[in-house]
Structures are given as C-alpha cells and as structure tokens.
Amino acid sequence: MSGSRIKDITYEVLRSQRSTADIVIERDGRVLVRAPKSIPDERIEEMIEAKRYWIYKNLAEWRDLNATRVLREYRNGEGFLYLGRSYRLLLVADQDEPLLPKNGRFCMWRDLVDRGEIEAAKAAFRDYYIARGSERIRQRVDYYAPKVGVAQRDVAVRELGNRWASCSPNGNLAFHWKCMMAPQTIIDYIVVHELCHFHHLDHTDAFWNEVDKVMPAYGERKEWLRTHGAGLDV
C-alpha cells in the first residue's frame, strides 16, 4: 500500500488483482483507493480530482458521526454492548474469569480497574466477543452461504483494524470482534455483504444486486452501521 497527496487530499492506494478501481472512506477517516495493479498513477490522480466533492462530503459526514463516539469508562453502571443490548458493568472481587455475563450484567474483576490495567480490561471484552462470535458468526455464515450460492468457508473472529470483515486470497472469512456489539440483524448484513464479494469484489450495482437477492432490506442495515458503527467500541 502506498500513500499520496493531491492538494489537500491525502489518500492511500491498495493494488490487487481486481478489475476496477473505487474510492472508499475507511472507518478511521482514511481515503483509500482500491485499484488494479495495471492502472497508472496518473489515472488514480484523475479519479481523486473527479471525486473531490464526493470525498469532501463523505469526510464531513465521517467527522460528524465520529463526534458522537461513545467513550466508555470502566466503572460500576457503565453500559457495554452485546448483540445490540446495553449491559451494565459490575466490578466484582472474585470470579473464575476476568469477564462474565451474570444476571443481565457484565461482571469484571475489580483488580483490573483498580490497578489501572485498562488495556487488560479492554482485552477481557475483546476475548469475550471473540469467543462468543466464533460460534455465532460461524452459524450465520453456514446459514447464508447456500442462500448466496457459495461454499461454506472457514471463519475467524479477530482484530481487523478498520474493517468489519475481510476475505483472504484462499477464501477464508474474518470478522471484527466488534461486530458482536451490533444487533443480530446487522451481523447478518455484514455476513451477507462479505459472502456476496465472492461473486463481485467491488461495490458495483451487480454486487448490490446480489446482496438484495438475499436481503432486500439491506439498505436500512447498511445505514444503521454507517450511523452507529463508531459507537461499537470498548
């Protein structure tokens, strides 16, 4: 991946075997050009110039959405999301695991917070979401794969940076652990979205037609994720 700048727009270029080029605004606000290996740099610069207004508009929307990002504190009563529901945090002195759901709450070792080990507290949530997501998302992939018309795939739930999901060159799927904070309907949308990329690597009309075949109301779920995605964090 290489970085470039045209006037006031800084962007990165990711080249691959894809046949078309597009521009996306990543969840961290980066401008990313996904392009075929054969396309010259001059053509990419022309794309950036042609899409300048679109880039401005979408970056402004990104700033507005991220202005509402929720900064959670590790204290009694703070709400943490799981499958779209908010569960209050309860700090406890003794239990078998660093983080356990119990009686409608997330119970966490108090020592993690008292010692100021916030990264360890975050890791406890991450590990919980990975463990739960590995089973649940696997089930949803198995359910939707035949509906999309693709073979069942290996599935992993892990840290993916600024992507909700990804597909390796050999066809294995990975999903961000933060997906488990979203409602089930949104997780299903992410699953279908990624599976449809086996038919079309880009986001052309043909791709969205594939998504629509399986999930006609995908537009509402796509918009929910765009609007609320910044709040899916610990």
Side-chain angles (χ1 to χ4, degrees), residues 117-198:
E117 298 179 10
I118 300 304
E119 289 306 314
K122 290 183 178 182
F125 272 100
R126 181 198 63 215
D127 293 346
Y128 176 82
Y129 292 133
I130 288 174
R132 292 298 183 93
S134 296
E135 178 179 358
R136 181 176 289 268
I137 295 180
R138 165 83 268 178
Q139 292 173 349
R140 303 315 289 168
V141 170
D142 289 347
Y143 176 78
Y144 279 109
K147 295 181 181 296
V148 175
V150 300
Q152 293 179 341
R153 305 287 176 168
D154 288 338
V155 175
V157 179
R158 54 186 174 85
E159 173 64 47
L160 284 180
N162 295 299
R163 295 184 178 276
W164 291 113
S166 68
C167 179
S168 69
N170 61 3
N172 294 330
L173 297 172
F175 294 85
H176 202 303
W177 56 266
K178 292 180 182 179
C179 290
M180 292 303 295
M181 303 178 77
Q184 183 63 62
T185 55
I186 305 305
I187 296 174
D188 285 354
Y189 162 70
I190 296 171
V191 167
V192 171
H193 183 119
E194 204 61 33
L195 287 172
C196 286
H197 275 311
F198 286 101

Side-chain angles (χ1 to χ4, degrees), residues 21-40:
D22 64 4
I23 302 173
V24 296
I25 308 299
E26 292 283 58
R27 288 199 294 127
D28 61 354
R30 289 180 298 127
V31 179
L32 178 64
V33 181
R34 301 180 297 191
K37 292 183 177 180
S38 59
I39 192 171

Side-chain angles (χ1 to χ4, degrees), residues 81-132:
L81 295 170
Y82 177 64
L83 295 179
R85 286 185 56 193
S86 180
Y87 293 82
R88 299 299 179 185
L89 185 67
L90 178 63
L91 301 177
V92 297
D94 184 36
Q95 63 182 19
D96 293 337
E97 301 291 338
L99 182 72
L100 289 174
K102 189 182 301 180
N103 299 325
R105 291 178 177 268
F106 274 128
C107 298
M108 172 177 281
W109 282 345
R110 178 180 295 278
D111 280 356
L112 291 181
V113 178
D114 289 346
R115 295 198 303 262
E117 298 179 10
I118 300 304
E119 289 306 314
K122 290 183 178 182
F125 272 100
R126 181 198 63 215
D127 293 346
Y128 176 82
Y129 292 133
I130 288 174
R132 292 298 183 93

